């Protein structure tokens, strides 16, 4: 029991002899004796008192500190002053005693202690003062007033006593409870939300994802001046104390009990303990628990380790958790850089980061704007100076260097940048790549990517991505869409045939907007895709070759009616060498719709759908907008012709740019399909060792879906489209391609979609041009003209395709395709059995010269520019 409840204890206060006076005096040891704990200075006697033969105590000498229950820390002023030593007495801590009126018979002289009741000349309880002169035993009125005052003071005293009990009990809890808590975990074992970084294929940063922008760094890698700046700002005596700020705990507890302002006053160790325990709110209970865990930390870890824990967990604002993320957010630098590196943090920059910790963001309750210079530059500078001055005081910074320090330039705060947010890159053109990465991580079983701590290497080639954006992105000066009508939109996807890796993906300027190269959730439905028109004929041709048709087989190109159904041929009268029959090869080059309708009807639309599915077209939409996931359809007869009629043969039904690029890549890979994908490698940080360990990787499992020889025959046909007229890729690089358009609607001859898809042995690329938002007629400004012209597959999409392919191939060697194999039975023809090709026709010439340079017409599903060589000139921008 403490001295406030033990009748035998009077630690540190003057003892009153004799029996109690009815007001709660503690009895001295023995009748009239003196308390055993009273200091010698408080026990000098001057003579017998009324309570017995023992001498009465004398007040401590004038000017000494009277220490005890009633006068802790109070100076006793000589020259007369009342001395309070009764229950409920004045506890004016740190206050000078007011002089009073001396009472005759005072044994101690001026300022001396007046005897207890009944002493000669003594007032009630020995008090003196002008209100008590001649009081004797005390008047009734004065006594009543004093009793009332004592009762009020007694309540306050009990409140204070109770608080002191709580403090001491809490101290016992801190000391004793330390040994009953589990070890406080290191940051790596806390599952702290970290950032996950997404890389280009060359390991440069593409984007960041996760719930918190944090990157754990080893404390030994953090430069000394950074660590000392943080200590100078937050806990100057960090290297001296045992982890607990006792005064801070008492101050915070007192403020909480009395309703004062909330206070922290935590050491660096306590602050980390709070994070480790996921404690929230500033309460006395939390402070005690912090203290317990802080003691445990100090017992288990070295100071440097604890500081490292703190540096990796504290919040710096701007979405940055931990010192590394903060260095990037405020200065675009890394704490891991060697001191000689230009990206290393200076002392002045480290002080900025340390200064921010106290309040990194504006407080809407108090109105204080914090210490981020973006929000509050004046006070940020003041706090910065405080940190540097503390570093000087601690001997960590030379005064001369302090005097020369200049407030550094801080990065502009951008809540969309990759250094200021917990998830960046999403609101950029690579944002759609990020969306695919998330999907693939889930498929790999990496479902905790939001918690961070992953490194994801993608297949996206940084140069190829830049080439796609430079060619197709309107906002890029000099792109093919720069200066064109504002409703025009383009999408580009490039795939590596040998692996299925997506090398470039441009579907729009933001991953949170519409992805024109892929799919989108709209109104609870997965929508997307565009009618591919004649570009889809590559799958119809592949299906025909599968059925043993030859590219030399003949087909009726003039039969435009199938019962009541009329076949659109893009407004053209189809002939070859003046005859209404064409080989399958010529029909492909000239992009006639009529023969492909009859081919599809002959082999069945299900065969065309199956060929597209096998090549890599995973999804296709019906005319009513119903999504059919072809990748889940084992037998194409389930969906064709029920959902996809004979018109599938010339591209009526919508597909995505990504799927089309994947399908083209299968042809470029000579019939071996590799699924298009974005994630190449996934690593995670091991919580035990801190090292990066494998957590997933791509699975390149090529599947042969087309016979090699038959694909070689098809490629030889598609080469004619790309290279005719000497307008192919730069340097005569071999390439194969197919163009396509689809009409705006059934009542218009304008185009609503335009495509070029093509490939080399190394890269397969699909380019689509259409409209943003609502579907509009496609018009553009050709080179050298201020007059709008109709967009065809061979002009604007072809220009984008050619520009991208030239740039993407700059560092790649020139490779050729295999020779044609002339597979299939040329006598299997439709409408013209036994017909043979003209003896003077050469396969590498344009079959209809007057149509090749300047195609005309347009309309439903046709692309009269299908056989037109891809132009090398850029569209003109209006003056």
């Amino acid at each position: 029991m403490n001295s406030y409840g033990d009748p035998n204890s009077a630690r540190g206060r003057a003892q009153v002899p004799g029996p109690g006076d009815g007001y709660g005096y503690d009895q001295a040891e023995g009748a009239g004796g003196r308390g055993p704990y009273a200091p010698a200075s408080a026990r000098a006697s001057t003579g017998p008192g009324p309570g017995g033969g023992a001498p009465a105590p004398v007040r401590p000498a004038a000017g000494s500190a009277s220490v005890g229950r009633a006068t802790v820390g109070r100076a006793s002023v000589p020259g007369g002053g009342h001395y309070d030593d009764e229950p409920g007495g004045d506890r004016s801590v740190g206050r000078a005693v007011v002089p009073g009126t001396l009472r005759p018979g005072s044994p101690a002289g001026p300022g001396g202690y007046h005897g207890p009741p009944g002493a000669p000349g003594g007032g009630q309880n020995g008090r003196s003062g002008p209100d008590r002169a001649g009081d004797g035993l005390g008047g009734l009125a004065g006594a009543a007033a004093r009793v009332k005052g004592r009762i009020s003071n007694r309540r306050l005293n009990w409140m204070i006593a109770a608080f002191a009990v709580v403090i001491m009990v809490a101290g016992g809890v801190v000391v004793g409870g330390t040994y009953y808590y589990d070890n406080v975990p290191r940051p790596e074992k806390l599952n702290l939300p970290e950032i996950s970084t997404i890389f280009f294929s060359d390991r440069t940063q593409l984007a960041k994802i996760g719930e918190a922008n944090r990157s754990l760094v080893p404390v030994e890698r953090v430069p000394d001046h950074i660590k000392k700046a943080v200590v100078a700002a937050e806990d100057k005596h960090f290297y001296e104390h045992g982890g607990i700020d006792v005064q801070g705990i008492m101050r915070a507890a007192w403020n909480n009990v009395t309703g004062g302002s909330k206070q922290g006053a935590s050491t660096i160790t306590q602050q980390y303990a709070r994070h480790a325990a996921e404690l929230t709110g500033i309460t006395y209970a939390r402070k005690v628990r912090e203290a317990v865990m802080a003691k445990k930390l100090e017992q288990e870890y070295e100071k440097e380790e604890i500081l490292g824990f703190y540096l990796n967990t504290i919040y710096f604002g701007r979405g940055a958790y931990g010192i590394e993320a903060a260095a990037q957010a405020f200065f675009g630098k890394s704490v891991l850089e060697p001191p000689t590196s230009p990206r290393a943090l200076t002392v002045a920059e480290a002080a900025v980061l340390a200064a921010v910790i106290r309040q990194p963001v504006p407080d809407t309750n108090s109105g204080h704007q914090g210490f981020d210079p973006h929000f509050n530059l004046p006070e940020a500078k003041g706090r910065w100076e405080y940190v540097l001055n503390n570093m000087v005081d601690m001997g960590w910074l030379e005064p001369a260097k302090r005097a020369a320090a200049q407030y550094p330039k801080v990065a502009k705060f951008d809540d969309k940048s990759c250094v200021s947010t917990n998830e960046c890159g999403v609101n950029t053109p690579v944002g759609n790549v990020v969306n695919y990465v998330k999907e693939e991580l889930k498929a790999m079983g990496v479902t905790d990517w939001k918690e961070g701590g992953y490194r994801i290497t993608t297949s996206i080639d940084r140069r190829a991505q830049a080439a796609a954006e430079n060619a197709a992105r309107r906002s890029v000066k000099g792109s093919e869409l720069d200066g064109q009508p504002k409703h025009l939109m383009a999408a580009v996807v490039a795939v590596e045939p040998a692996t299925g890796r997506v090398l470039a993906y441009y579907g729009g300027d933001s991953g949170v907007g519409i992805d024109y190269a892929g799919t989108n959730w709209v109104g609870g439905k997965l929508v997307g895709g565009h009618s591919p028109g004649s570009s889809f004929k590559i799958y119809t041709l592949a299906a025909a070759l599968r059925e043993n048709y030859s590219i030399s087989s003949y087909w009726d190109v003039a039969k435009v009616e199938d019962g009541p159904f009329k076949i659109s041929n893009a407004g053209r009268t189809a002939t070859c060498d003046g005859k209404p029959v064409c080989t399958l090869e010529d029909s492909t080059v000239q992009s006639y719709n009529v023969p492909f309708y009859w081919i599809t009807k002959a082999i069945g639309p299900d065969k065309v759908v199956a060929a597209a599915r096998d090549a890599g077209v995973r999804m296709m939409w019906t005319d009513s907008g119903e999504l059919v996931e072809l990748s889940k359809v084992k037998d194409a007869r389930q969906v064709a012709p029920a959902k996809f009629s004979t018109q599938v043969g010339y591209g009526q039904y919508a597909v995505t740019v990504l799927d089309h690029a994947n399908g083209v890549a299968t042809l470029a890979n000579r019939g071996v399909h590799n699924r298009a994908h974005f994630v190449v490698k996934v690593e995670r940080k091991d919580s035990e060792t801190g090292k990066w360990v494998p957590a997933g990787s791509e699975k390149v499992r090529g599947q042969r879906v087309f016979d090699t020889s038959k694909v070689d025959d098809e490629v030889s046909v598609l080469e004619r489209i790309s290279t005719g007229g000497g307008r192919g890729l730069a340097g005569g690089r071999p390439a194969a391609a197919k163009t396509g358009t689809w009409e705006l609607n059934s009542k218009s001859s304008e185009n609503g979609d335009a495509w070029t898809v093509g490939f080399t042995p190394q890269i397969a690329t699909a380019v689509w041009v259409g409209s943003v938002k609502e579907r509009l007629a496609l018009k553009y400004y050709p080179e050298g003209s201020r007059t709008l012209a109709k967009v065809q597959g061979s002009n604007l999409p072809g220009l984008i395709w050619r520009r991208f392919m030239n740039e993407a191939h700059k560092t790649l060697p020139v490779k050729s395709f295999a020779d044609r194999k002339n597979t299939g039975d040329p006598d299997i023809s439709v409408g013209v059995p036994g017909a043979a090709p003209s003896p003077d026709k050469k396969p590498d010439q344009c079959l209809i010269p007057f149509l090749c340079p300047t195609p005309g017409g347009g309309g439903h599903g046709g692309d009269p520019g299908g056989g037109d060589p891809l132009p090398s000139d850029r569209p003109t921008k209006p003056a």
Side-chain angles (χ1 to χ4, degrees):
M1 181 174 291
N2 59 38
S3 61
Y4 289 94
D6 186 354
N8 297 316
S9 174
R11 182 181 304 174
R13 70 179 182 190
Q15 301 302 305
V16 180
D21 64 355
Y23 293 101
Y25 276 97
D26 291 338
Q27 296 297 313
E29 182 178 353
R34 62 188 184 190
Y37 301 108
S41 62
R43 296 199 292 263
S45 64
T46 59
V58 177
R59 177 171 179 170
S64 66
S66 185
V67 181
R69 175 186 65 186
T71 56
V72 177
R74 182 176 68 178
S76 188
V77 182
H82 65 264
Y83 179 75
D84 299 320
D85 191 19
E86 59 180 271
D90 187 5
R91 291 180 54 87
S92 302
V93 178
R95 183 181 68 167
V97 178
V98 180
T101 301
L102 300 180
R103 182 175 310 153
S106 172
Y113 173 73
H114 301 288
Q124 177 69 28
N125 287 318
R127 284 185 179 270
S128 64
D131 60 329
R132 299 175 189 146
D135 188 22
L137 296 176
L140 294 177
R146 287 192 296 273
V147 168
K148 182 178 180 181
R150 281 194 295 271
I151 293 173
S152 177
N153 287 339
R154 186 179 301 134
R155 290 174 181 168
L156 177 61
N157 221 23
W158 276 112
M159 288 176 62
I160 295 171
F163 172 69
V165 170
V166 172
I167 291 296
M168 281 182 276
V169 171
V173 171
V174 169
V175 175
T178 299
Y179 300 96
Y180 296 98
Y181 271 93
D182 290 335
N183 293 347
V184 184
R186 303 171 64 94
E188 308 93 88
K189 298 181 179 180
L190 284 175
N191 293 321
L192 288 172
E194 281 189 73
I195 205 70
S196 290
T197 306
I198 302 175
F199 297 100
F200 286 103
S201 59
D202 63 358
R203 298 287 288 184
T204 57
Q205 182 175 289
L206 181 149
K208 295 189 298 186
I209 57 175
E211 292 185 337
N213 182 9
R214 177 189 284 112
S215 298
L216 300 182
V217 294
V219 67
E220 60 271 14
R221 295 280 306 278
V222 179
D224 195 53
H225 66 276
I226 298 175
K227 292 183 282 190
K228 287 180 175 175
V230 172
V231 171
E234 290 296 304
D235 188 359
K236 284 177 61 176
H237 304 293
F238 170 71
Y239 292 106
E240 302 167 12
H241 62 62
I244 299 176
D245 180 359
V246 177
Q247 290 183 346
I249 293 175
M250 295 178 67
R251 182 170 60 251
W254 172 254
N255 277 327
N256 289 345
V257 168
T258 60
S261 62
K262 300 294 185 181
Q263 294 189 11
S266 297
T267 66
I268 280 177
T269 312
Q270 286 175 267
Q271 289 183 55
Y272 172 70
R274 180 191 317 158
H275 289 290
E278 297 182 350
L279 300 174
T280 58
I282 300 179
T283 64
Y284 181 73
R286 191 211 74 192
K287 299 299 292 185
V288 172
R289 188 175 178 190
E290 277 181 21
V292 172
M293 300 181 75
K295 291 296 293 182
K296 200 69 172 178
L297 278 166
E298 294 280 347
Q299 292 173 353
E300 295 183 1
Y301 300 105
E302 298 294 330
K303 284 285 188 179
E304 199 74 354
E305 290 181 286
I306 295 171
L307 181 58
F309 301 164
Y310 179 79
L311 290 173
N312 278 314
T313 55
I314 200 68
Y315 184 58
F316 288 83
R318 302 193 177 196
Y321 291 84
I323 191 67
E324 173 65 6
Q328 295 177 9
F330 284 81
F331 298 105
K333 295 184 175 183
S334 171
V335 299
L336 301 178
E337 294 289 335
T340 56
S341 169
R343 293 194 72 235
L345 280 178
T346 66
V347 172
E349 291 168 340
V352 170
L353 298 182
V356 167
I357 296 173
R358 182 178 182 185
Q359 185 183 327
V361 296
D363 185 348
T364 55
N365 294 323
S366 68
H368 192 274
Q369 295 301 298
F371 298 100
D372 184 329
H374 174 77
F375 300 105
N376 191 4
L377 181 58
E379 291 198 54
K381 286 184 176 179
R383 181 73 178 166
W384 173 79
E385 291 174 349
Y386 166 81
V387 174
L388 292 179
N389 291 340
N390 277 356
M391 293 181 74
V392 173
D393 291 344
M394 301 298 290
W396 295 337
L397 180 64
E398 297 176 15
K401 291 183 177 180
R402 163 66 187 95
Q406 298 279 328
Y407 196 82
K409 182 178 180 181
V410 179
K412 182 179 179 182
F413 178 50
D414 178 4
D415 59 4
K416 296 180 181 179
S417 76
C418 270
V419 295
S420 301
T421 59
N422 63 315
E423 187 166 281
C424 76
V426 175
N427 197 23
T428 68
V430 294
N432 289 308
V433 172
V434 176
N435 293 335
Y436 281 107
V437 167
K438 292 177 180 179
E439 290 181 7
E440 291 187 19
L441 288 177
K442 183 178 180 181
M444 286 181 173
V446 181
T447 57
D448 60 344
W449 58 264
K450 285 187 177 181
E451 298 176 8
Y454 286 94
R455 298 194 307 198
I456 303 108
T457 303
T458 71
S459 57
I460 300 297
D461 182 277
R462 188 160 50 91
R463 285 196 324 104
Q465 181 66 27
E469 293 180 24
N470 290 338
R473 192 180 181 191
R474 175 185 303 283
S475 60
V476 175
K477 187 173 180 58
S479 73
E480 301 300 335
L481 260 62
D482 179 22
Q484 294 294 350
K486 293 184 178 179
H487 73 279
L488 291 182
M489 180 65 199
V492 180
V493 179
V495 176
E496 185 177 64
T499 61
R501 293 177 177 177
V502 179
L503 302 176
Y505 190 101
Y506 176 69
D509 290 341
S510 172
V512 297
I514 296 297
D515 180 2
Y516 290 94
T519 58
N520 304 273
W521 284 98
V522 178
K525 294 177 60 178
L526 192 63
V527 301
H530 318 281
S531 296
S534 291
S535 68
F536 199 80
K537 291 173 182 174
I538 61 175
Y539 309 120
T540 309
L541 180 56
L545 291 169
R546 264 183 171 178
E547 297 301 310
N548 205 35
Y549 287 96
S550 167
I551 59 174
S552 299
S553 61
Y554 274 79
W555 297 82
D556 188 339
V557 297
K559 188 178 180 182
V560 297
E561 294 182 355
D562 185 12
F565 180 75
K566 292 187 177 181
I567 308 164
S568 172
N569 206 37
R572 295 182 293 166
T573 300
T575 63
C576 289
D577 293 337
K579 300 178 181 179
V581 292
C582 295
T583 63
L584 186 52
E585 177 179 1
D586 294 342
S587 297
T588 303
V589 173
Q590 299 305 324
S591 200
Y592 292 146
N593 290 340
V594 174
F596 277 87
Y597 175 88
W598 294 113
I599 292 169
T600 305
K601 187 163 186 177
I603 63 177
D606 60 296
K607 297 294 195 303
V608 177
V609 171
R613 176 201 62 198
D614 296 345
V617 178
R618 301 170 303 159
M619 293 173 282
M620 199 152 64
W621 283 263
T622 67
D623 286 340
S624 63
E626 177 189 354
L627 168 63
V628 177
E629 295 187 66
L630 298 183
S631 59
K632 298 180 180 180
V633 176
K634 293 184 178 181
D635 188 344
R637 288 175 295 184
Q638 296 173 313
V639 295
K643 296 181 184 294
F644 304 113
S645 69
T646 309
Q647 289 171 279
V648 71
Y650 48 89
Q652 175 171 319
Y653 305 102
V655 298
T656 67
V657 183
L658 173 61
D659 281 0
H660 212 356
N662 199 184
V664 174
T666 300
L667 297 180
N669 201 34
R670 302 184 72 190
V672 176
H673 168 65
N674 288 298
R675 180 184 57 84
H677 61 279
F678 294 82
V679 176
V680 173
K681 180 173 63 175
V682 182
E683 301 166 283
R684 65 172 177 81
K685 186 180 290 185
D686 186 276
S687 60
E688 297 290 337
T689 65
K691 296 181 179 180
W692 293 96
V693 297
S697 63
E698 65 180 344
K699 292 179 173 57
V700 179
R701 297 173 179 172
Q703 179 183 6
R704 175 159 297 284
V705 293
F706 301 123
D707 180 81
T708 303
S709 298
K710 295 182 183 298
V711 173
D712 291 344
D713 284 350
E714 178 167 356
V715 171
S716 70
V717 173
L718 300 180
E719 276 191 277
R720 292 180 58 195
I721 300 173
S722 176
T723 60
R727 290 172 135 185
L729 298 183
R733 182 185 295 270
K738 184 71 187 77
T739 59
T741 58
W742 196 257
E743 65 184 13
L744 181 63
N745 54 57
S746 61
K747 298 179 181 179
S748 173
S749 62
E750 299 293 342
N751 290 326
D753 299 284
W755 295 74
T756 290
V757 299
F759 54 92
T760 66
Q762 296 110 313
I763 301 177
T765 303
V767 175
W768 165 85
V769 171
S771 303
V772 295
K773 298 181 180 178
E774 60 179 323
R775 204 156 178 263
L776 300 173
L778 304 183
K779 299 283 189 178
Y780 84 114
Y781 293 102
E783 181 73 27
S785 174
R786 297 184 61 186
T787 302
L788 288 170
K790 188 176 186 177
V791 173
Q792 301 281 12
S794 59
N795 49 47
L796 190 52
L799 288 165
I800 295 172
W801 182 87
R802 185 177 186 274
R803 178 170 172 175
F804 167 76
M805 292 290 277
N806 281 336
E807 183 65 29
H809 281 84
K810 275 187 175 179
T811 60
L812 299 179
V814 176
K815 290 187 176 182
S816 299
F817 296 110
D819 295 333
R820 71 166 64 194
K821 303 301 189 299
N822 293 312
T823 62
D825 186 352
D827 293 330
I828 305 178
S829 301
V830 174
V832 283
S838 302
D840 59 344
K841 186 179 67 175
K842 296 180 181 179
D844 59 348
Q845 292 180 335
C846 182
L847 297 181
I848 308 177
F850 71 87
L851 287 177
C852 292
T854 311
H860 184 79
D863 182 21
D868 189 29
L870 298 181
S872 58
D873 299 327
R874 298 181 60 254
T876 292
K877 311 304 178 290

